[in-house]
Amino acid sequence: MKIAIIGAGYVGLTSAAVFASLGHSVWLLDKDKIKIKTLKSGRVPFYEPELPELLKKSLSKGSLKPTLSFSEAIPDADVIFICVGTPMSKNGEADLSQVFAAAESIAKQLKKYSVIVNKSTVPTGTTERVKNIIRKIAGVSFDVASCPEFLREGNAVYNTLNPDRIVIGTETKCAEKVLLRLHEKLPGGRVTTDIRTAEIIKYASNAFLATKISFINEIANLCEEVGTNVEDVALGMGLDPRIGKDFLKPGIGYGGSCFPKDTRALHLIAHSNSYTFKLLKAVIEVNQTQRRNFLGKVRRAVGDLKGKKIGALGLAFKNNTDDIRESAALNIIDWLIKEGGRVKAFDPKANANAKKNLPALTVCKKPEECFLKTDAVLILTEWPDFKFLPWTALKKKMRHPIVIDGRNLLDPIEMRKFGFKYISVGRP
Ligand code: UGA
């Protein structure tokens, strides 16, 4: 099939590369000239495993064509995906301006029947608004649809090639048939439904995963009070298939470009429909408190932060990405600096992005540098690399051998054997 994808971010670019690898002919549109130039040269503008290889393969076959031009990409397309950002606006709602701008640009170039699919995470009713925008401008028939995306950064290619489910929300049988055919080579369950339901499935999924994380963080806090081990509690809960073992890792609270934004947006969607989503409000609050709790642990371990030297391992919102959007690590570092702490940090991929966001931060070339004459070292992102540091040698470089592990990455018994005062989350 002929596909046009608008927006070359994690979702758009990964979908484009995957559809191209499945034999479809894909135009990838973005308004950012530098991004398109970068993509044409076979480079991915952010860190995402496996994506550069897939991009290069599709470019060399000619099945993926990055472009700035709607008039090049739209007229022939059978299916058009909108994959633009829906960032959080000042009041917490999703900012839909990029979605509506994409709809207008599509409408101006539509020359034949196409299915226009929204993949961006949007409040219920947005795809209908997209339809109304296009209907006013376009002179041909078309359908709109909603196919939310469930990929995780750091696993984007794998998740897109191996989806658990594909949700297809349509208004017509014709659009449903087109989209079922487009995805036929991909595994996973199919959920065919109406558009509004598809839109809410995405928010409900992210909100539920965020709830699991806030729940286990609360259990971790309780474990600290009663002297039990949250890792064993999570294992004991997670082996029940009704609960499931995933997303039960306690830590410093969830971050990233999705959970914080989507939980707030869903809470507001409920509010604007006169429904008080009490549980979700608590999930959001617990997440914020979890970051503060960690700051409290640092304060209790090192005393007044003024003038204290702190090493921080990890800046990205999770491992396997260079993304620092809504990163709990950066949030905590920012608080430490504001309280007078002097922070040296290292992240295998996110140093440059973090420095841009927080100029007061000193970034190191190697994790070892974060230990030099420091009063404590914090683990803020769960990069596996941090498990295998030469702890005995590093301890000697520190002013005080204190490690505060916000991700439960290390073994408490081992760390104490190395001679550290070791503090983690919900473990004795
Ligand atoms: C999330 C969802 O997992 C995807 O299914 C969804 O498609 C995506 O949002 C989106 O809406 O686009 P992502 O933001 O890439 O994916 O990251 P996750 O792996 O879900 O992690 C989110 C945050 O939760 C991270 O800060 C992570 O460290 C934290 N987390 C995750 C925990 O604290 N504990 C866990 O057990 C799992």
Side-chain angles (χ1 to χ4, degrees):
M1 280 190 195
K2 289 184 177 142
I3 302 173
I5 295 183
I6 300 153
Y10 286 92
V11 172
L13 175 53
T14 311
S15 304
V18 165
F19 280 128
S21 77
L22 295 175
H24 299 289
S25 167
V26 185
W27 284 104
L28 176 60
L29 273 152
D30 202 285
K31 59 181 181 210
D32 183 336
K33 279 185 194 155
I34 297 170
K35 205 182 241 184
I36 290 297
K37 202 171 155 199
T38 308
L39 291 169
K40 279 185 172 167
S41 72
R43 284 173 296 132
V44 174
F46 45 84
Y47 174 73
E48 183 59 45
E50 297 182 56
L51 195 50
E53 296 76 11
L54 204 63
L55 171 70
K56 277 190 201 119
K57 229 191 254 171
S58 308
L59 287 173
S60 66
K61 275 199 305 188
S63 53
L64 173 56
K65 289 164 283 187
T67 181
L68 291 161
S69 157
F70 278 79
S71 61
E72 204 165 34
I74 300 298
D76 266 354
D78 304 308
V79 181
I80 301 165
F81 284 100
I82 300 176
C83 302
V84 295
T86 53
M88 190 159 39
S89 57
K90 279 203 180 95
N91 65 1
E93 284 173 11
D95 173 354
L96 301 172
S97 54
Q98 294 183 58
V99 174
F100 298 143
E104 243 185 85
S105 305
I106 293 167
K108 287 180 188 154
Q109 299 299 334
L110 213 56
K111 299 284 185 289
K112 69 171 191 68
Y113 172 83
S114 306
V115 183
I116 298 149
V117 188
N118 188 36
K119 247 190 190 300
S120 303
T121 304
V122 292
T124 27
T126 303
T127 308
E128 280 159 29
R129 291 172 71 187
V130 164
K131 181 172 78 178
N132 292 336
I133 292 172
I134 299 176
R135 199 162 45 192
K136 276 192 198 138
I137 304 170
V140 292
S141 75
F142 65 93
D143 271 315
V144 289
S146 165
C147 285
E149 178 55 58
F150 301 100
L151 66 79
R152 293 173 70 193
E153 288 180 24
N155 286 293
V157 172
Y158 180 82
N159 291 159
T160 310
L161 281 167
N162 302 280
D164 303 311
R165 77 295 209 187
I166 293 168
V167 174
I168 296 176
T170 53
E171 287 176 325
T172 67
K173 276 283 155 206
C174 174
E176 185 183 298
K177 229 167 100 183
V178 170
L179 294 176
L180 282 171
R181 193 150 59 85
L182 175 68
H183 292 96
E184 69 191 358
K185 289 190 184 155
L186 291 171
R190 302 294 190 259
V191 180
T192 51
T193 183
D194 62 88
I195 289 176
R196 285 182 160 240
T197 307
E199 288 170 338
I200 211 92
I201 286 172
K202 169 68 187 192
Y203 276 120
S205 302
N206 274 4
F208 188 75
L209 292 169
T211 304
K212 277 188 101 175
I213 298 169
S214 280
F215 184 86
I216 202 67
N217 280 333
E218 290 256 74
I219 294 289
N221 299 340
L222 181 63
C223 284
E224 285 175 13
E225 297 303 319
V226 296
T228 49
N229 187 337
V230 70
E231 302 283 316
D232 292 346
V233 176
L235 181 67
M237 289 168 62
L239 286 172
D240 181 336
R242 292 171 302 171
I243 298 173
K245 62 180 174 21
D246 294 334
F247 281 68
L248 285 181
K249 274 211 83 55
I252 51 175
Y254 58 77
S257 64
C258 305
F259 288 173
K261 160 177 84 72
D262 295 347
T263 44
R264 279 182 213 136
L266 185 59
H267 187 254
L268 282 171
I269 292 168
H271 183 73
S272 60
N273 285 281
S274 309
Y275 184 74
T276 310
F277 203 146
K278 289 187 209 148
L279 179 60
L280 197 53
K281 185 164 184 268
V283 168
I284 296 165
E285 278 169 13
V286 167
N287 196 54
Q288 202 54 22
T289 310
Q290 198 64 10
R291 296 178 180 193
R292 286 268 168 211
N293 284 347
F294 187 80
L295 181 69
K297 281 181 182 170
V298 182
R299 279 202 208 105
R300 281 194 296 280
V302 305
D304 184 1
L305 284 162
K306 216 166 178 176
K308 293 280 158 52
K309 282 187 166 179
I310 311 282
L313 297 178
L315 296 161
F317 82 94
K318 64 172 186 179
N319 68 320
N320 241 358
T321 182
D322 61 359
D323 196 342
I324 50 137
R325 286 175 289 175
E326 293 271 343
S327 163
L330 269 195
N331 191 180
I332 289 163
I333 291 171
D334 188 32
W335 286 333
L336 293 171
I337 293 174
K338 283 190 178 127
E339 289 196 22
R342 287 153 64 199
V343 184
K344 288 193 280 191
F346 169 81
D347 188 285
K349 297 289 173 197
N351 271 355
N353 285 344
K355 182 74 188 164
K356 255 186 257 157
N357 191 276
L358 199 60
L361 178 68
T362 307
V363 290
C364 304
K365 289 200 174 84
K366 288 184 189 161
E368 286 80 356
E369 290 171 37
C370 296
F371 290 76
L372 212 60
K373 298 198 172 78
T374 45
D375 295 291
V377 164
L378 319 180
I379 298 183
L380 299 176
T381 309
E382 66 280 34
W383 285 98
D385 322 30
F386 300 150
K387 272 190 196 168
F388 308 106
L389 295 174
W391 292 103
T392 311
L394 291 175
K395 183 182 157 242
K396 290 183 193 141
K397 296 190 175 190
M398 294 178 75
R399 195 147 64 185
H400 296 109
I402 302 174
V403 171
I404 312 172
D405 182 353
R407 299 291 194 159
N408 287 358
L409 192 72
L410 306 170
D411 181 346
I413 297 171
E414 288 280 297
M415 290 307 283
R416 276 168 211 141
K417 262 196 217 153
F418 288 132
F420 286 96
K421 177 175 180 186
Y422 175 78
I423 300 154
S424 57
V425 184
R427 298 190 294 181

